[in-house]
Amino acid sequence: MGTAFWLRWSWRGLRRQLSQVVAIAAIIALGSAIYAGLGSTSVWRRLSLNATFAQLHAHDIEVTTTPGTALPEQRLLAVARRAGGPALSAVEARLVVDLPVRAGRGGAIPAAGTIVGVNLARGVDIDRWQVSAGRDIGLRDANGSAVLLDQHFAAEHALAPQGRMSIAGHGVSYTGTALEPEYLNVNAVVGATIQGAATRAVVYAPITLAQRLAGLPGAANDVIATVRAGADVERVAARMRDALGRLEPEIALSVTVRRDDQAVRALYDEIDSEQRIFDVFALLVLAGAGFAAFNLTRRSVEAQRRDIGIAMALGLPRRQIAIRPLLLAIEVALAGVALGALGGWAIGAWVLAIIRTREPLPVWETPWQWGLFLVAAALGLAIPLCGSAYPTWRAVRVVPTDALLPPHLRTTRHRLSALTRRIALRGSTAARAPLRRITIAPLRSAMTALAMALILAPLLAAFGTTDSMDVTIDTGTRILAGASGDRLLVTLRSAQPADGPVVTAITGSKLVRESALGLDTGGYLIKGRTTIAASIAMVDLANPLVVPADLAGRALEPGGIVISKKAASDLDVRSGDRLILRHPQRVGTGVRLVDSAVPVRAVITSPYRFVAYMDLRDETLMGVAGVVNTATLVARRGVTIGELQRSVASLPGVASALAASSLSGTIANVLALVANLFVIVQVVIGLMAFLVAYNSSKIGSDERARQNATMMAFGIGTARIVLIGVIESLLLGLAGLAVGLGLGLVLVRVIVGSVIPAAVPELATLESVAPWSLLLTALIALAAAVFAPIFTLRRLRTMSLPGTLRYVE
């Protein structure tokens, strides 16, 4: 028997079992595709970020003044050049100011604006922007009022590519939307809140316009620079810090390397954190797919035992007999690899489309990830071969007459089946048949149920993780909204005296019913070797308008700090313990970071680790007294929050005025990408559950072909036989569902308790699995189990009873 014979035999078997081969291969393909597709995500995003920074000539070093201060543009530029020396290849000065913005028709969309003023007369060579819609601004706009609007904000509110908007009450025209490397991440922590694409509008404007709007003619507060090729950026930055302290001792200037910038680091950290989460799910899905394919391939070979027995009875050598079932495994493997490559490409494209919608980048690099696909291909080849090798080896070693018998009559059957066959079942033959089929082959039934369970567990885990994120967001939103209804959160451009004209104009407005002042600042909480960043809101700790209601009722004294439960856990401290607070302290006209030992006054249940509170009377710790930079306002009865917002935003000294309710969407957007990508996992797993049930029913039909033919010969209709298969599949599905739900709940606890905290340390995710998630998982499992056996109806109707019942071909 030559190669041509085996090829013909293989082709004949493939045609007979085509649907089975394709279905098992599809399970392998889906598992490997989700592994390769999700695994490619982080590589693509990192390559795209690097390419974006390179193409748009992102800065290497940034020099900024103390918040609220500025220097003459030429003076700041000259100082930066002298400090950097010949190591700098290019230097540009900017004015970056925070001013309230209104966009949309009639100014219906309020936002916290960040105005980036650049010198268009000299040209922009560093941190170039890329216009995504509309027209660019250039030399002709250097002294005008045309600006560019950041694409994140425009896309979030579906704004036209060109239009009118107001900045601090002054009308301007935006000629287009753009992306700029420094503001690819627009999320920013402000006190106990988070601003993002919905509430933060970055505007790129001529520096002369920014100076007019901010009331700072000829001033700049920001310098960006690039270093020459081959120069060490860290060393150049260190030399600039020393030099600036000597050149401008009266003004505090900070020097930041781009890769140490919080917004830039957050972009890369987000890639790593999200990939850790999806790696877990990709491996879970791949493991479930591998086990299911292994079990189904093994059962497929077991279903050919009768053919193997006939071949042995005819005297064929065992090695030649083993070729046919192994050919089936090879066909499954090759089909799985081919479908896996196609599915991986499709899932990768799907993932990329979601990412590009949520995180637009000017440049995208998406090379084929050969390494990941080779690993997936290797698994796709190994699983079916391993699944067929052992049962084939067992099959060719039995006595031919034993192989010709039905499974429950063979002498080599498992001991467990001998015990389960003794279980007494009541009712008619047709009623007992589903349970009897399960008890005759308990190991096979258990493996099938376990395969379904390993598919359903990551499905429930995906649902539960999404539910936990939703509950976490809702909890944070309730804390943010407080007990007083919607409030207006006002941020000032710089710290102002609490009894000064700027603050008095805000709190004394006839539209304000109640107000509370505060001082927001950043800092670091340190305990031993653990250091975490914190956003400290210094307020009246007894006022429920600015702190959670449970905290306001504790009547805490000043002289300590209130931190979140997540921060307390990470620092291993509790109420009454002391920790080190590294905080800014004003010294002369500058600011320095100092360490102070402070007690932990209370621990709150905020899901955000960065949230911390101190009493406003402790502001002397910061080197200031009687100054504030935030105000929380409640409108008078009959006054809408929108009316109050428009009135306050037009006052001098206001950087932003936003309703607390508008910030809740920002928190949801932070996790929106993860939730959207989970949809892919859920769709793939749902399809895999159906394929497992279909294959199990198909292989079971092949295994029981003689039993079905016997029942049909005695007059039992095909509909009744299919019903028996449906009931059997449903029982196995229920068993698999019970195990899968248990494993899924364990996975949710592990993911929420260990994986997410390691991936997203700033978030204390609250574990929760919604009832609808359990119900949806059950519906998917039971629908797959019920409908899959129906597809065997056509095969039953076309079955040849004499051909199926005979023992000898």
Side-chain angles (χ1 to χ4, degrees):
M1 291 182 287
T3 304
F5 170 80
W6 292 114
L7 289 176
R8 287 196 304 270
W9 197 2
S10 173
W11 175 246
R12 178 186 175 189
L14 178 62
R15 285 187 301 172
R16 191 179 72 175
Q17 297 179 299
L18 180 61
S19 61
Q20 187 174 317
V21 169
V22 172
I24 298 177
I27 294 174
I28 299 173
L30 288 172
S32 59
I34 203 76
Y35 172 79
L38 291 181
S40 301
T41 302
S42 60
V43 180
W44 290 342
R45 294 169 72 184
R46 190 174 294 276
L47 288 174
S48 301
L49 270 178
N50 294 338
T52 294
F53 288 137
Q55 181 168 311
L56 300 184
H57 206 193
H59 71 268
D60 296 314
I61 297 173
E62 183 175 16
V63 180
T64 56
T65 65
T66 302
T69 63
L71 291 175
E73 180 183 353
Q74 296 306 317
R75 177 183 168 186
L76 182 60
L77 198 59
V79 168
R81 282 174 175 157
R82 288 179 60 191
L88 300 182
S89 60
V91 181
E92 295 177 7
R94 308 184 302 183
L95 178 65
V96 181
V97 291
D98 293 329
L99 296 170
V101 165
R102 297 195 72 88
R105 181 173 297 178
I109 305 171
T114 298
I115 316 303
V116 182
V118 298
N119 196 322
L120 294 176
R122 295 184 178 181
V124 179
D125 186 57
I126 308 173
D127 283 353
R128 304 167 185 158
W129 52 68
Q130 179 171 300
V131 176
S132 54
R135 77 163 180 89
D136 199 357
I137 56 174
L139 181 60
R140 62 177 177 173
D141 303 299
N143 296 311
S145 60
V147 301
L148 287 173
L149 182 60
D150 184 75
Q151 182 182 329
H152 296 88
F153 182 78
E156 187 70 25
H157 296 287
L159 297 177
Q162 297 178 329
R164 296 282 297 175
M165 60 187 297
S166 68
I167 302 176
H170 299 274
V172 299
S173 298
Y174 68 93
T175 63
T177 59
L179 291 171
E180 193 253 13
E182 187 175 3
Y183 295 97
L184 295 176
N185 177 15
V186 294
N187 295 327
V189 175
V190 181
T193 64
I194 301 177
Q195 293 178 358
T199 54
R200 188 182 184 207
V202 180
V203 179
Y204 310 106
I207 193 169
T208 53
L209 175 61
Q211 290 165 344
R212 290 199 307 270
L213 293 173
L216 299 169
N221 60 4
D222 186 83
V223 170
I224 49 178
T226 55
V227 302
R228 298 190 183 278
D232 188 306
V233 176
E234 295 286 354
R235 290 185 179 180
V236 174
R239 288 200 301 267
M240 290 184 69
R241 291 187 186 97
D242 295 337
L244 288 171
R246 296 191 303 271
L247 295 172
E248 289 289 346
E250 300 299 324
I251 299 294
L253 297 172
S254 61
V255 181
T256 307
V257 177
R258 172 166 52 88
R259 61 188 171 197
D260 291 334
D261 183 85
Q262 290 186 354
V264 174
R265 289 178 60 185
L267 287 172
Y268 286 101
D269 290 345
E270 184 178 353
I271 294 173
D272 294 335
S273 62
E274 290 175 357
Q275 192 58 49
R276 289 191 189 100
I277 296 173
F278 286 111
D279 281 346
V280 172
F281 280 96
L283 290 173
L284 287 173
V285 173
L286 184 60
F291 181 82
F294 177 89
N295 180 53
L296 293 170
T297 307
R298 182 188 61 82
R299 285 188 60 188
S300 180
V301 173
E302 291 285 351
Q304 299 181 49
R305 288 283 290 269
R306 180 169 173 268
D307 294 340
I308 292 174
I310 293 173
M312 287 191 295
L314 294 175
L316 288 178
R318 293 181 177 180
R319 291 183 179 179
Q320 293 183 4
I321 296 173
I323 291 176
R324 184 181 179 186
L326 291 177
L327 283 175
L328 173 66
I330 293 172
E331 292 164 354
V332 170
L334 293 177
V337 170
L339 292 175
L342 181 62
W345 173 84
I347 289 177
W350 190 356
V351 169
L352 185 62
I354 293 175
I355 292 174
R356 295 183 69 166
T357 301
R358 302 302 311 177
E359 295 182 354
L361 290 178
V363 183
W364 281 99
E365 298 284 345
T366 56
W368 186 267
Q369 298 304 302
W370 289 103
L372 290 169
F373 280 92
L374 287 176
V375 171
L379 292 171
L381 290 171
I383 290 170
L385 292 176
C386 294
S388 63
Y390 177 67
T392 300
W393 177 76
R394 286 186 59 199
V396 297
R397 295 184 66 214
V398 300
V399 179
T401 55
D402 195 47
L404 290 169
L405 292 174
H408 66 286
L409 297 179
R410 294 170 187 161
T411 58
T412 57
R413 64 179 180 270
H414 199 274
R415 293 180 181 178
L416 183 60
S417 63
L419 296 175
T420 55
R421 286 181 64 238
R422 298 176 183 175
I423 298 175
L425 300 175
R426 299 180 179 276
S428 64
T429 301
R432 295 195 309 249
L435 282 174
R436 179 57 68 193
R437 287 180 174 183
I438 294 173
T439 57
I440 283 177
L443 182 60
R444 181 201 65 197
S445 302
M447 292 284 283
T448 301
L450 183 58
M452 180 66 78
L454 292 179
I455 296 294
L456 295 176
L459 177 62
L460 180 61
F463 284 136
T465 303
T466 304
D467 293 337
S468 300
M469 290 179 177
D470 290 341
V471 169
T472 302
I473 292 170
D474 291 342
T475 301
T477 301
R478 286 195 299 271
I479 293 175
L480 179 63
S484 304
D486 207 0
R487 301 161 297 161
L488 191 68
L489 308 179
V490 182
T491 302
L492 305 180
R493 297 184 204 172
S494 60
Q496 298 287 330
D499 55 357
V502 172
V503 177
T504 302
I506 296 171
T507 59
S509 170
K510 61 181 180 180
L511 303 182
V512 175
R513 173 170 62 88
E514 185 180 358
S515 64
L517 303 178
L519 179 67
D520 283 353
T521 184
Y524 296 91
L525 307 177
I526 304 171
K527 183 69 173 181
R529 296 183 178 181
T530 304
T531 301
I532 63 176
S535 179
I536 305 169
M538 306 188 77
V539 292
D540 180 1
L541 296 181
N543 191 341
L545 185 62
V546 286
V547 297
D550 61 335
L551 177 61
R554 300 186 191 185
L556 298 177
E557 294 295 326
I561 190 169
V562 178
I563 61 177
S564 68
K565 185 177 180 180
K566 180 69 164 58
S569 175
D570 291 347
L571 293 168
D572 193 21
V573 296
R574 56 179 58 89
S575 182
D577 292 347
R578 299 183 74 84
L579 51 75
I580 299 299
L581 173 63
R582 182 168 296 162
H583 58 89
Q585 186 179 80
R586 183 175 292 277
V587 179
T589 58
V591 175
R592 67 179 181 181
L593 288 177
V594 299
D595 290 349
S596 301
V598 296
V600 177
R601 288 297 188 197
V603 176
I604 57 174
T605 57
S606 171
Y608 309 115
R609 188 177 71 169
F610 62 83
V611 172
Y613 296 96
M614 294 183 71
D615 196 284
L616 186 58
R617 290 170 288 180
D618 290 327
E619 64 179 354
T620 53
L621 197 67
M622 309 295 170
V624 295
V627 300
V628 296
N629 61 7
T630 66
T632 303
L633 309 177
V634 177
R636 287 187 180 275
R637 188 180 302 275
V639 177
T640 66
I641 197 72
E643 293 172 338
L644 178 61
Q645 192 276 336
R646 283 189 291 272
S647 173
V648 171
S650 63
L651 297 175
V654 174
S656 68
L658 298 172
S661 58
S662 68
L663 297 171
S664 60
T666 300
I667 301 170
N669 286 340
V670 173
L671 299 174
L673 180 61
V674 178
N676 288 337
L677 290 178
F678 271 154
V679 174
I680 298 176
V681 177
Q682 293 159 3
V683 170
V684 169
I685 295 176
L687 183 57
M688 287 174 60
F690 173 77
L691 289 173
V692 169
Y694 169 77
N695 274 282
S696 179
S697 300
K698 178 69 170 58
I699 296 170
S701 178
D702 292 342
E703 290 173 331
R704 302 186 183 92
R706 295 190 71 253
Q707 297 177 20
N708 293 335
T710 302
M711 286 191 289
M712 291 170 67
F714 278 96
I716 298 177
T718 54
R720 178 67 65 86
I721 295 174
V722 169
L723 179 60
I724 292 172
V726 168
I727 296 174
E728 178 191 7
S729 179
L730 180 60
L731 293 174
L732 292 176
L734 287 171
L737 176 62
V739 177
L741 292 179
L743 290 176
L745 293 174
V746 172
L747 285 176
V748 171
R749 174 156 297 185
V750 172
I751 291 168
V752 172
S754 301
V755 178
I756 293 181
V760 191
E762 292 298 328
L763 188 67
T765 308
L766 306 175
E767 181 183 342
S768 176
V769 179
W772 74 267
S773 295
L774 297 170
L775 179 62
L776 186 56
T777 303
L779 288 176
I780 291 173
L782 298 181
V786 169
F787 288 107
I790 297 176
F791 287 88
T792 63
L793 179 60
R794 179 177 175 275
R795 186 179 181 87
L796 287 172
R797 287 176 174 174
T798 59
M799 177 189 295
S800 171
L801 296 184
T804 305
L805 290 171
R806 67 181 176 223
Y807 270 98
V808 180
E809 302 294 336

